[in-house]
Amino acid sequence: MGNANYVRYAPGSYSNIPTGFVRVLAEKKVGRNGWPVMVALCSCVLENRMIGRMLAASISERTGLSLWQVARGMAELRNKGIVMLVIRRAEEGYRRIDRSNTGHVARYCFTSEVWNKIETESDLSENA
């Protein structure tokens, strides 16, 4: 077993989920719809804690969940304080919560509490 190589997946076919983030999902008791949705979203996390745009249909295709289950999973992640809608600046200059509409998919980011836990845990594992 010691000489076995790790599996090599095709690019974009897997998600990278930090150990600290798995712990956060377990602590917050994320359920059966939230977990697969979060795993799908983890394939497009940006360095500034933003999550890249991913259509519900794409999440459904990746996870096998129905569109309703994807919607429930996203609602669960928002309600448990894991992700939140991004605050955008409108053309008029005022700030507003991003919303999906025709031709636009709302942007999400990790809450600062969760992002700090993820970064703290990854710093600890790098120094081990």
Side-chain angles (χ1 to χ4, degrees), residues 48-63:
N48 61 356
R49 87 176 191 178
M50 298 264 295
I51 299 170
R53 287 184 178 96
M54 187 176 289
L55 297 172
S58 298
I59 296 171
S60 176
E61 185 178 312
R62 285 178 180 233
T63 61

Side-chain angles (χ1 to χ4, degrees), residues 53-56 74 78 85-86 88 96-108:
R53 287 184 178 96
M54 187 176 289
L55 297 172
M74 287 301 299
R78 281 192 309 270
L85 286 163
V86 171
R88 292 184 44 184
R96 65 180 174 84
I97 294 174
D98 198 7
R99 300 251 189 253
S100 291
N101 55 41
T102 305
H104 177 75
V105 177
R107 298 291 305 260
Y108 284 87

Side-chain angles (χ1 to χ4, degrees), residues 67-88:
L67 291 175
W68 288 108
Q69 289 171 313
V70 170
R72 282 193 296 270
M74 287 301 299
E76 179 182 14
L77 294 171
R78 281 192 309 270
N79 294 340
K80 294 198 180 247
I82 294 169
V83 298
M84 60 184 262
L85 286 163
V86 171
I87 307 287
R88 292 184 44 184

